[in-house]
Amino acid sequence: MNEFMTMVYVNLLMLGNRLKTGMQEFLYDEQGDVNIVSIVVLMGIAVLLAILFREQIQSLLESLFSTISGNAESAVS
């Protein structure tokens, strides 16, 4: 192996070790635990609301896209 390839290999190993250490610190850090739980709860509520109002959301999106495509067609012509 030439010197350049050795340096690249060593730098990749060091980067891998830094990434591994960073991931371990992120996974085992308990300081932001409450924030993660609240985000998961809010995401669950958002999914539940999306399921409950699926038809209304679908009709809203269809009307928005038809308006956008109508405006685009009139802008082109």
Side-chain angles (χ1 to χ4, degrees):
M1 238 186 223
N2 62 20
E3 186 176 327
F4 175 73
M5 293 299 290
T6 304
M7 286 181 11
V8 169
Y9 181 71
V10 169
N11 284 333
L12 285 175
L13 285 177
M14 288 176 18
L15 179 63
N17 285 336
R18 276 189 259 153
L19 286 173
K20 181 180 174 184
T21 304
M23 284 300 293
Q24 285 176 345
E25 288 176 0
F26 175 74
L27 291 176
Y28 294 112
D29 184 21
E30 297 179 8
Q31 192 171 9
D33 192 32
V34 175
N35 292 331
I36 293 173
V37 171
S38 63
I39 289 172
V40 170
V41 169
L42 289 174
M43 288 175 63
I45 291 171
V47 168
L48 181 63
L49 288 173
I51 291 171
L52 289 175
F53 297 108
R54 181 178 43 191
E55 290 84 18
Q56 291 87 351
I57 294 171
Q58 185 177 3
S59 65
L60 173 67
L61 289 176
E62 287 173 356
S63 67
L64 284 174
F65 284 123
S66 65
T67 303
I68 290 170
S69 64
N71 288 340
E73 288 174 3
S74 65
V76 170
S77 58

